[in-house]
Amino acid sequence: MELLMQRYPVLEECRKDIENALDMIIETYKMGGKVLVCGNGGSASDSEHIVGELMKGFLSMRPVTDERIPEHLRSGLQGALPAISLPSQSAILSAFINDVDPEMMYAQLVYGYAKEGDLVIGLSTSGNSKNVVNAIEVAKAVGAKTLSMTGHRESKLSAISDMTVRVPETETYKIQELHLPVYHYLCAGVEKHFFG
């Protein structure tokens, strides 16, 4: 955390929220849950990035010791923290957008994937992206925890999420520039907790 604050001192005002977000993700995995992530545009790319850091080694090689896996395969694997990037589900998303309702596209996937004890992370620079807001609402309805990452302004997501990290910027690209070090910190912290 101190390195994060040293490199990005502007994040000091959301330090406690970042620490709480880390605890929330760790608790999700401790209880056997998974993480679902969604966003639009650059935030969709960030969703993919977050899942990439969780599902394979980020700063650690994460050796696999699971004896269910044959020994000759273990060396080719890395420890994984279960996570799904909802924007990557292109076939179902395009079908749902075409056949049903674009504003419900992520909500449909949350409804299909999320269970009680899972965590749904919504990324939105405005905090008001309707498809992300709907996903968070459905997540809460099915008993999943919710974490949002937004810009500085109060928003629909900050009003309904269990926790929100509101980075202190209001322009889209500047918000995204701060989301990246925040989620890198979170992924590194979760990895350190589970893999040393």
mmCIF file with all atom_site columns, all heavy atoms in Angstrom, residues 149-162:
data_model
loop_
_atom_site.group_PDB
_atom_site.id
_atom_site.type_symbol
_atom_site.label_atom_id
_atom_site.label_alt_id
_atom_site.label_comp_id
_atom_site.label_asym_id
_atom_site.label_entity_id
_atom_site.label_seq_id
_atom_site.pdbx_PDB_ins_code
_atom_site.Cartn_x
_atom_site.Cartn_y
_atom_site.Cartn_z
_atom_site.occupancy
_atom_site.B_iso_or_equiv
_atom_site.pdbx_formal_charge
_atom_site.auth_seq_id
_atom_site.auth_comp_id
_atom_site.auth_asym_id
_atom_site.auth_atom_id
_atom_site.pdbx_PDB_model_num
ATOM 1   N N   . MET A 1 149 ? -15.794 0.148  -9.123  1.00 0.00 ? 149 MET A N   1
ATOM 2   C CA  . MET A 1 149 ? -14.705 1.108  -9.293  1.00 0.00 ? 149 MET A CA  1
ATOM 3   C C   . MET A 1 149 ? -15.202 2.175  -10.247 1.00 0.00 ? 149 MET A C   1
ATOM 4   O O   . MET A 1 149 ? -15.609 1.874  -11.378 1.00 0.00 ? 149 MET A O   1
ATOM 5   C CB  . MET A 1 149 ? -13.451 0.415  -9.832  1.00 0.00 ? 149 MET A CB  1
ATOM 6   C CG  . MET A 1 149 ? -12.827 -0.542 -8.842  1.00 0.00 ? 149 MET A CG  1
ATOM 7   S SD  . MET A 1 149 ? -11.358 -1.386 -9.500  1.00 0.00 ? 149 MET A SD  1
ATOM 8   C CE  . MET A 1 149 ? -10.285 0.007  -9.827  1.00 0.00 ? 149 MET A CE  1
ATOM 9   N N   . THR A 1 150 ? -15.186 3.428  -9.785  1.00 0.00 ? 150 THR A N   1
ATOM 10  C CA  . THR A 1 150 ? -15.729 4.540  -10.551 1.00 0.00 ? 150 THR A CA  1
ATOM 11  C C   . THR A 1 150 ? -14.794 5.736  -10.473 1.00 0.00 ? 150 THR A C   1
ATOM 12  O O   . THR A 1 150 ? -13.710 5.650  -9.891  1.00 0.00 ? 150 THR A O   1
ATOM 13  C CB  . THR A 1 150 ? -17.116 4.957  -10.003 1.00 0.00 ? 150 THR A CB  1
ATOM 14  O OG1 . THR A 1 150 ? -16.936 5.558  -8.707  1.00 0.00 ? 150 THR A OG1 1
ATOM 15  C CG2 . THR A 1 150 ? -18.064 3.779  -9.894  1.00 0.00 ? 150 THR A CG2 1
ATOM 16  N N   . GLY A 1 151 ? -15.270 6.855  -11.000 1.00 0.00 ? 151 GLY A N   1
ATOM 17  C CA  . GLY A 1 151 ? -14.595 8.124  -10.806 1.00 0.00 ? 151 GLY A CA  1
ATOM 18  C C   . GLY A 1 151 ? -15.054 8.773  -9.517  1.00 0.00 ? 151 GLY A C   1
ATOM 19  O O   . GLY A 1 151 ? -15.775 8.164  -8.707  1.00 0.00 ? 151 GLY A O   1
ATOM 20  N N   . HIS A 1 152 ? -14.680 10.018 -9.339  1.00 0.00 ? 152 HIS A N   1
ATOM 21  C CA  . HIS A 1 152 ? -14.862 10.701 -8.068  1.00 0.00 ? 152 HIS A CA  1
ATOM 22  C C   . HIS A 1 152 ? -16.315 11.005 -7.712  1.00 0.00 ? 152 HIS A C   1
ATOM 23  O O   . HIS A 1 152 ? -16.683 11.028 -6.534  1.00 0.00 ? 152 HIS A O   1
ATOM 24  C CB  . HIS A 1 152 ? -14.067 12.012 -8.084  1.00 0.00 ? 152 HIS A CB  1
ATOM 25  C CG  . HIS A 1 152 ? -13.906 12.613 -6.731  1.00 0.00 ? 152 HIS A CG  1
ATOM 26  N ND1 . HIS A 1 152 ? -14.658 13.672 -6.305  1.00 0.00 ? 152 HIS A ND1 1
ATOM 27  C CD2 . HIS A 1 152 ? -13.090 12.290 -5.701  1.00 0.00 ? 152 HIS A CD2 1
ATOM 28  C CE1 . HIS A 1 152 ? -14.313 13.993 -5.071  1.00 0.00 ? 152 HIS A CE1 1
ATOM 29  N NE2 . HIS A 1 152 ? -13.363 13.164 -4.680  1.00 0.00 ? 152 HIS A NE2 1
ATOM 30  N N   . ARG A 1 153 ? -17.153 11.234 -8.697  1.00 0.00 ? 153 ARG A N   1
ATOM 31  C CA  . ARG A 1 153 ? -18.524 11.661 -8.422  1.00 0.00 ? 153 ARG A CA  1
ATOM 32  C C   . ARG A 1 153 ? -19.366 10.543 -7.813  1.00 0.00 ? 153 ARG A C   1
ATOM 33  O O   . ARG A 1 153 ? -19.185 9.372  -8.133  1.00 0.00 ? 153 ARG A O   1
ATOM 34  C CB  . ARG A 1 153 ? -19.191 12.134 -9.704  1.00 0.00 ? 153 ARG A CB  1
ATOM 35  C CG  . ARG A 1 153 ? -18.574 13.379 -10.298 1.00 0.00 ? 153 ARG A CG  1
ATOM 36  C CD  . ARG A 1 153 ? -19.379 13.867 -11.500 1.00 0.00 ? 153 ARG A CD  1
ATOM 37  N NE  . ARG A 1 153 ? -18.793 15.075 -12.051 1.00 0.00 ? 153 ARG A NE  1
ATOM 38  C CZ  . ARG A 1 153 ? -18.034 15.119 -13.139 1.00 0.00 ? 153 ARG A CZ  1
ATOM 39  N NH1 . ARG A 1 153 ? -17.758 14.002 -13.799 1.00 0.00 ? 153 ARG A NH1 1
ATOM 40  N NH2 . ARG A 1 153 ? -17.552 16.269 -13.567 1.00 0.00 ? 153 ARG A NH2 1
ATOM 41  N N   . GLU A 1 154 ? -20.318 10.943 -6.958  1.00 0.00 ? 154 GLU A N   1
ATOM 42  C CA  . GLU A 1 154 ? -21.347 10.005 -6.513  1.00 0.00 ? 154 GLU A CA  1
ATOM 43  C C   . GLU A 1 154 ? -22.088 9.519  -7.749  1.00 0.00 ? 154 GLU A C   1
ATOM 44  O O   . GLU A 1 154 ? -22.235 10.253 -8.733  1.00 0.00 ? 154 GLU A O   1
ATOM 45  C CB  . GLU A 1 154 ? -22.313 10.688 -5.552  1.00 0.00 ? 154 GLU A CB  1
ATOM 46  C CG  . GLU A 1 154 ? -21.714 11.020 -4.202  1.00 0.00 ? 154 GLU A CG  1
ATOM 47  C CD  . GLU A 1 154 ? -21.506 9.799  -3.333  1.00 0.00 ? 154 GLU A CD  1
ATOM 48  O OE1 . GLU A 1 154 ? -22.056 8.708  -3.653  1.00 0.00 ? 154 GLU A OE1 1
ATOM 49  O OE2 . GLU A 1 154 ? -20.772 9.918  -2.332  1.00 0.00 ? 154 GLU A OE2 1
ATOM 50  N N   . SER A 1 155 ? -22.585 8.293  -7.703  1.00 0.00 ? 155 SER A N   1
ATOM 51  C CA  . SER A 1 155 ? -23.198 7.706  -8.886  1.00 0.00 ? 155 SER A CA  1
ATOM 52  C C   . SER A 1 155 ? -24.196 6.641  -8.483  1.00 0.00 ? 155 SER A C   1
ATOM 53  O O   . SER A 1 155 ? -24.335 6.308  -7.294  1.00 0.00 ? 155 SER A O   1
ATOM 54  C CB  . SER A 1 155 ? -22.109 7.077  -9.770  1.00 0.00 ? 155 SER A CB  1
ATOM 55  O OG  . SER A 1 155 ? -21.497 5.992  -9.076  1.00 0.00 ? 155 SER A OG  1
ATOM 56  N N   . LYS A 1 156 ? -24.876 6.089  -9.471  1.00 0.00 ? 156 LYS A N   1
ATOM 57  C CA  . LYS A 1 156 ? -25.797 4.985  -9.196  1.00 0.00 ? 156 LYS A CA  1
ATOM 58  C C   . LYS A 1 156 ? -25.046 3.801  -8.602  1.00 0.00 ? 156 LYS A C   1
ATOM 59  O O   . LYS A 1 156 ? -25.526 3.144  -7.678  1.00 0.00 ? 156 LYS A O   1
ATOM 60  C CB  . LYS A 1 156 ? -26.524 4.582  -10.476 1.00 0.00 ? 156 LYS A CB  1
ATOM 61  C CG  . LYS A 1 156 ? -27.505 5.633  -10.952 1.00 0.00 ? 156 LYS A CG  1
ATOM 62  C CD  . LYS A 1 156 ? -28.177 5.240  -12.259 1.00 0.00 ? 156 LYS A CD  1
ATOM 63  C CE  . LYS A 1 156 ? -29.117 6.352  -12.702 1.00 0.00 ? 156 LYS A CE  1
ATOM 64  N NZ  . LYS A 1 156 ? -29.714 6.076  -14.026 1.00 0.00 ? 156 LYS A NZ  1
ATOM 65  N N   . LEU A 1 157 ? -23.846 3.519  -9.125  1.00 0.00 ? 157 LEU A N   1
ATOM 66  C CA  . LEU A 1 157 ? -23.080 2.390  -8.597  1.00 0.00 ? 157 LEU A CA  1
ATOM 67  C C   . LEU A 1 157 ? -22.631 2.640  -7.161  1.00 0.00 ? 157 LEU A C   1
ATOM 68  O O   . LEU A 1 157 ? -22.698 1.746  -6.320  1.00 0.00 ? 157 LEU A O   1
ATOM 69  C CB  . LEU A 1 157 ? -21.872 2.088  -9.484  1.00 0.00 ? 157 LEU A CB  1
ATOM 70  C CG  . LEU A 1 157 ? -22.166 1.360  -10.788 1.00 0.00 ? 157 LEU A CG  1
ATOM 71  C CD1 . LEU A 1 157 ? -20.899 1.218  -11.620 1.00 0.00 ? 157 LEU A CD1 1
ATOM 72  C CD2 . LEU A 1 157 ? -22.805 0.000  -10.537 1.00 0.00 ? 157 LEU A CD2 1
ATOM 73  N N   . SER A 1 158 ? -22.184 3.857  -6.865  1.00 0.00 ? 158 SER A N   1
ATOM 74  C CA  . SER A 1 158 ? -21.732 4.120  -5.494  1.00 0.00 ? 158 SER A CA  1
ATOM 75  C C   . SER A 1 158 ? -22.904 4.056  -4.516  1.00 0.00 ? 158 SER A C   1
ATOM 76  O O   . SER A 1 158 ? -22.722 3.751  -3.338  1.00 0.00 ? 158 SER A O   1
ATOM 77  C CB  . SER A 1 158 ? -21.001 5.460  -5.396  1.00 0.00 ? 158 SER A CB  1
ATOM 78  O OG  . SER A 1 158 ? -21.856 6.550  -5.681  1.00 0.00 ? 158 SER A OG  1
ATOM 79  N N   . ALA A 1 159 ? -24.124 4.306  -5.004  1.00 0.00 ? 159 ALA A N   1
ATOM 80  C CA  . ALA A 1 159 ? -25.305 4.257  -4.147  1.00 0.00 ? 159 ALA A CA  1
ATOM 81  C C   . ALA A 1 159 ? -25.748 2.827  -3.845  1.00 0.00 ? 159 ALA A C   1
ATOM 82  O O   . ALA A 1 159 ? -26.289 2.563  -2.765  1.00 0.00 ? 159 ALA A O   1
ATOM 83  C CB  . ALA A 1 159 ? -26.453 5.031  -4.782  1.00 0.00 ? 159 ALA A CB  1
ATOM 84  N N   . ILE A 1 160 ? -25.508 1.889  -4.773  1.00 0.00 ? 160 ILE A N   1
ATOM 85  C CA  . ILE A 1 160 ? -26.065 0.539  -4.591  1.00 0.00 ? 160 ILE A CA  1
ATOM 86  C C   . ILE A 1 160 ? -25.025 -0.535 -4.268  1.00 0.00 ? 160 ILE A C   1
ATOM 87  O O   . ILE A 1 160 ? -25.384 -1.603 -3.784  1.00 0.00 ? 160 ILE A O   1
ATOM 88  C CB  . ILE A 1 160 ? -26.892 0.091  -5.812  1.00 0.00 ? 160 ILE A CB  1
ATOM 89  C CG1 . ILE A 1 160 ? -26.012 -0.056 -7.060  1.00 0.00 ? 160 ILE A CG1 1
ATOM 90  C CG2 . ILE A 1 160 ? -28.054 1.045  -6.055  1.00 0.00 ? 160 ILE A CG2 1
ATOM 91  C CD1 . ILE A 1 160 ? -26.730 -0.680 -8.256  1.00 0.00 ? 160 ILE A CD1 1
ATOM 92  N N   . SER A 1 161 ? -23.753 -0.275 -4.525  1.00 0.00 ? 161 SER A N   1
ATOM 93  C CA  . SER A 1 161 ? -22.724 -1.313 -4.320  1.00 0.00 ? 161 SER A CA  1
ATOM 94  C C   . SER A 1 161 ? -22.393 -1.469 -2.844  1.00 0.00 ? 161 SER A C   1
ATOM 95  O O   . SER A 1 161 ? -22.463 -0.504 -2.076  1.00 0.00 ? 161 SER A O   1
ATOM 96  C CB  . SER A 1 161 ? -21.455 -0.948 -5.097  1.00 0.00 ? 161 SER A CB  1
ATOM 97  O OG  . SER A 1 161 ? -21.717 -0.899 -6.481  1.00 0.00 ? 161 SER A OG  1
ATOM 98  N N   . ASP A 1 162 ? -22.008 -2.674 -2.469  1.00 0.00 ? 162 ASP A N   1
ATOM 99  C CA  . ASP A 1 162 ? -21.569 -2.897 -1.094  1.00 0.00 ? 162 ASP A CA  1
ATOM 100 C C   . ASP A 1 162 ? -20.345 -2.046 -0.788  1.00 0.00 ? 162 ASP A C   1
ATOM 101 O O   . ASP A 1 162 ? -20.186 -1.564 0.339   1.00 0.00 ? 162 ASP A O   1
ATOM 102 C CB  . ASP A 1 162 ? -21.238 -4.382 -0.863  1.00 0.00 ? 162 ASP A CB  1
ATOM 103 C CG  . ASP A 1 162 ? -22.469 -5.261 -0.984  1.00 0.00 ? 162 ASP A CG  1
ATOM 104 O OD1 . ASP A 1 162 ? -23.560 -4.832 -0.551  1.00 0.00 ? 162 ASP A OD1 1
ATOM 105 O OD2 . ASP A 1 162 ? -22.340 -6.380 -1.521  1.00 0.00 ? 162 ASP A OD2 1
#
